[in-house]
Amino acid sequence: MHLNHDPAATPAAEIDFDAFLAVDIRVGTIMSAEPFPEARKPAYKLLIDFGPGIGERKSSAQITENYEIEPLVGRQVAAVVNFPPRQIGKFMSQVLTLGFPDENGAVTLFAPDKAVPNGARLF
């Protein structure tokens, strides 16, 4: 699947509301972050706590251009939690951490502007 990161691109085709509801986007708190030197593109390995209903999940996130490791711990992020796990090298990424491209195309994390309970679902 190719994602279009061009902000001037035309919108995607219309979908119905049920298709949107099928994508389970939750908020979680980053519990740990570490370098992922084996990744083809620079990335970090994240462990994210999505609360008691989902628990902790791992994610490979290409966020190295805009984020240092230390400040990531304790930060809330949004992620798709119902995609199948994806093998990235020797690491199994269980969720897709969400972000938007900045003016240089580097990922800027998507998160609530105030703290919400881990596991809260986007609607």
Side-chain angles (χ1 to χ4, degrees):
M1 170 173 62
H2 174 71
L3 300 176
N4 190 338
H5 298 297
D6 179 1
T10 57
E14 276 190 11
I15 60 171
D16 63 26
F17 193 66
D18 287 339
F20 168 73
L21 291 176
V23 180
D24 193 354
I25 300 172
R26 305 286 182 122
V27 69
T29 299
I30 298 174
M31 304 307 290
S32 67
E34 60 185 72
F36 188 10
E38 306 86 10
R40 278 184 287 150
K41 295 182 181 178
Y44 295 139
K45 295 178 187 177
L46 305 178
L47 181 64
I48 306 169
D49 180 7
F50 291 98
I54 297 170
E56 293 182 341
R57 300 280 176 95
K58 297 182 287 185
S59 181
S60 171
Q62 295 174 4
I63 57 174
T64 59
E65 290 183 48
N66 283 333
Y67 300 94
E68 296 294 323
I69 286 181
E70 294 78 20
L72 288 171
V73 176
R75 180 188 179 108
Q76 285 195 305
V77 294
V80 176
V81 298
N82 67 332
F83 284 157
R86 186 171 175 202
Q87 188 77 41
I88 301 173
K90 295 180 180 180
F91 184 75
M92 183 63 74
S93 187
Q94 300 169 302
V95 299
L96 175 65
T97 304
L98 299 175
F100 293 99
D102 66 14
E103 63 278 356
N104 298 315
V107 177
T108 300
L109 291 168
F110 179 61
D113 62 359
K114 68 180 223 175
V116 298
N118 285 339
R121 186 171 180 174
L122 180 75
F123 60 86

